[in-house]
């Protein structure tokens, strides 16, 4: 027999009132109270989570992830535009500033391009060359690096293939530290 608050004559937030017939057929109806709040309550009361603590602490080379400015450019098909918006959202959620202004304040360049449209691919490769000469970290994303990862223009770049865009934050963090990551 299942009882709810109305069956027990109680009001939400109050202890249930039990009739003799209910208490005689049911053994421990009285709810027990915990002496201290659960771990979930502690997590909600904490101002900094464990994941944030790891992200906030500086790495051994002094780079704090999530505070860099990322120049992001997406070119190509509609699907690529959608992927670009998804990656920008992930990066912004992790504290990165997304910009479309190419200047000296850019810490990481992220180019997302498509192989379907030839002019987009050519423009992508030209932008990659220009960004590499700036000295900032460069990340290539999308189906251009996925389709031809051994291309000479992409050899010393961090790469995020079309199937790995959900890991763009990891790649940008490592690229900002000066590492090269290739996820295809």
């Amino acid at each position: 027999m299942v009882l709810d608050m109305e069956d027990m004559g109680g009001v939400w937030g109050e202890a249930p009132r039990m009739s003799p017939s209910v208490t005689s057929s049911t053994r421990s109806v009285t709810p027990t109270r915990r002496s201290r709040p659960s771990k979930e309550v502690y997590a909600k009361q904490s101002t900094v989570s464990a994941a944030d603590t790891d992200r906030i602490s500086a790495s051994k080379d002094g780079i704090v992830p999530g505070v860099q400015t990322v120049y992001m450019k997406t070119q190509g098909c509609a699907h690529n535009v959608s992927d670009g918006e998804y990656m920008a959202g992930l990066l912004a959620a992790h504290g990165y500033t997304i910009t479309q202004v190419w200047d000296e304040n850019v810490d990481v360049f992220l180019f997302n391009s498509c192989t379907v449209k030839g002019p987009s691919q050519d423009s992508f490769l030209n932008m990659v060359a220009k960004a590499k000469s700036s000295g900032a970290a460069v990340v290539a994303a999308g189906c251009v690096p996925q389709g031809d990862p051994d291309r000479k223009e992409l050899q010393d770049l961090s790469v995020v293939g079309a199937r790995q865009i959900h890991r763009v934050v990891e790649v940008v963090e490592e690229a900002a530290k000066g590492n090269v990551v290739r996820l295809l």
Side-chain angles (χ1 to χ4, degrees), residues 46-151:
S46 175
T47 56
V48 178
S49 71
D52 286 338
T53 303
D54 291 341
R55 207 171 59 83
I56 291 169
S57 61
S59 65
K60 64 181 178 189
D61 46 7
I63 303 293
V64 178
V67 298
Q68 288 79 18
T69 299
V70 177
Y71 173 87
M72 184 165 181
K73 179 73 173 176
T74 295
Q75 296 176 301
C77 66
H79 185 77
N80 223 41
V81 171
S82 175
D83 287 352
E85 290 172 353
Y86 175 71
M87 289 189 286
L90 290 173
L91 290 165
H94 281 83
Y96 290 92
T97 301
I98 307 299
T99 186
Q100 294 192 353
V101 177
W102 188 308
D103 63 15
E104 68 278 351
N105 296 322
V106 173
D107 299 301
V108 179
F109 288 92
L110 173 59
F111 299 111
N112 182 27
S113 187
C114 179
T115 57
V116 174
K117 298 186 177 184
S120 295
Q121 184 172 340
D122 295 338
S123 175
F124 164 78
L125 294 173
N126 290 334
M127 286 189 297
V128 165
K130 182 179 173 186
K132 285 167 71 172
S133 68
S134 75
V138 181
V139 177
C143 53
V144 169
Q146 181 80 43
D148 192 4
D150 297 327
R151 189 177 193 115

